[in-house]
Amino acid sequence: MAIAKKVTINDVAHAAGVSVATVSLVLSGKGRISMATGERVNQAIEALGFVRNRQAASLRGAQTGVIGLIVGDLSSPFYAELAAGVIESLESQGKMVFLTQGGRKGEHMLQRFDTLVSQGVDGVVIAGAVDRASELRDKAEESAVPLVFASRASYLEDVDLIRPDNMQAAQMLTEHLIRRGHQRIAWLGGQSTSLTRAERVGGYCATLLKYGLPFHSEWVVECETSQRQAAEAFSHLLRHNPTITAVVCYNNVVAMGAWLGMLRSGWQSGDESLESYYEQRVALAAFAEVPESALEDAPMSWAITPAREMGQSVAARMLERIDSGKNVVKNQIMPPRLVSTK
């Protein structure tokens, strides 16, 4: 005898021509749903014979203790560290975290958001890939679900957002090199399509201009986040521009590639190049996207982006939003700090 297939919330959404999140809102009685949409969903429920979960229905209006966390790409060291900070902080407060990935370019963000809302989460944190931010913000307002963004770089102003200060970090690194006597400082790494790179290069260029130092377009070199490609790009840069005395690297992977390229090319690290050009020395500085304890033991200066601390701030902001029930837009910028492994 054939067993009847259980009707799911997805079936109801398809039949009503709405999202899963909209069906969930109709079932829970939350959010801003028009009378026509609500009637269409209820008709689909009745026609399909969808059985509502009585236990879930009795909890409508109550908090579930579950927070959704959508990370663009967990393979990114920065976002993995940020996610760890979010999860640790929320779990220490007795919350559970539903973790999922939204895709490097945010291609799955909207779908993942709908899924989390349909599961009745108390709020959603979105880390990275914020190109769909306006749509996600509108969905969150419609669903009456607190939404907090966390991003390594962002142009967003009208959403609840926590991010690092890339320009300040670049200014800090470049100024540190200048104070050590360097006047011919190059840039290595990142892609021109990267907003993070754009913010960092902007800080680097602004600092050179501030001190009246030379800037040459050929001293700003793109390369992928690969040690091999960074080593090749570094060697090419110094071979064609031998008067350069310092290089700012896009991140720790590029920095270690530059370090290897330096060793292979016969250059040495340090500031002594200011005394003798023939010693072929060059100083390295870089942005770290891993914890300070995970940095390689190579002589260079680092601008630390506090990803885990940023995750802790994101968790605190989400709890504040849930407790207050108020949707107040805040843009919080996390300052960098300078460390040296010399």
Side-chain angles (χ1 to χ4, degrees), residues 21-22 50 71 113 127 138 164 170-171 194 214 217 235 246 253 275 288 327 333:
T22 298
F50 176 74
V71 180
F113 181 85
D138 292 345
Q171 291 167 354
S194 166
S217 59
S235 298
V253 175
E275 300 176 4
N327 182 18
I333 300 177

Side-chain angles (χ1 to χ4, degrees), residues 96-235:
M96 290 188 64
V97 179
F98 194 134
L99 174 63
T100 184
Q101 292 192 100
R104 289 188 178 184
K105 297 181 179 180
E107 60 269 27
H108 305 304
M109 283 289 183
L110 297 174
Q111 180 186 7
R112 300 295 185 265
F113 181 85
D114 284 345
T115 299
L116 290 172
V117 171
S118 73
Q119 296 299 315
V121 296
D122 296 334
V124 177
V125 172
I126 294 180
V130 295
D131 291 345
R132 311 296 291 274
S134 59
E135 293 175 82
L136 289 162
R137 179 199 58 208
D138 292 345
K139 276 180 170 285
E141 290 179 355
E142 179 184 325
S143 306
V145 173
L147 176 64
V148 177
F149 289 90
S151 180
R152 193 172 59 170
S154 179
Y155 51 83
L156 304 175
E157 295 182 352
D158 56 349
V159 298
D160 222 349
L161 170 71
I162 299 178
R163 65 178 180 86
D165 194 331
N166 288 304
M167 285 198 68
Q168 183 187 355
Q171 291 167 354
M172 179 187 296
L173 277 182
T174 310
E175 194 166 73
H176 172 72
L177 293 171
I178 293 170
R179 288 176 175 172
R180 297 181 73 91
H182 295 280
Q183 296 187 358
R184 297 178 296 278
I185 305 171
W187 173 281
L188 177 66
Q191 300 290 315
S192 60
T193 55
S194 166
L195 181 58
T196 302
R197 179 184 185 272
E199 291 181 353
R200 291 175 179 174
V201 170
Y204 153 79
C205 293
T207 309
L208 292 181
L209 292 172
K210 174 183 175 181
Y211 285 88
L213 296 180
F215 168 79
H216 303 287
S217 59
E218 63 269 24
W219 289 8
V220 179
V221 180
E222 289 187 47
C223 78
E224 294 183 9
T225 299
S226 155
Q227 285 194 11
R228 181 181 62 81
Q229 291 198 23
E232 293 174 355
F234 177 88
S235 298

Side-chain angles (χ1 to χ4, degrees), residues 8 14 19 27 47 52 68 86 92 156 164 177 202 222 226 293-294 306 319:
T8 67
H14 179 73
S19 68
L27 293 172
R52 305 175 191 233
V86 172
S92 71
L156 304 175
L177 293 171
E222 289 187 47
S226 155
S293 59
L319 293 175

Side-chain angles (χ1 to χ4, degrees), residues 3 23 42 67 79 95 115 188 200 229 236 255 290 301 340:
I3 299 176
V23 176
N42 283 315
I67 309 297
Y79 286 114
K95 305 295 184 181
T115 299
L188 177 66
R200 291 175 179 174
Q229 291 198 23
H236 183 271
V290 294
S301 301
S340 177

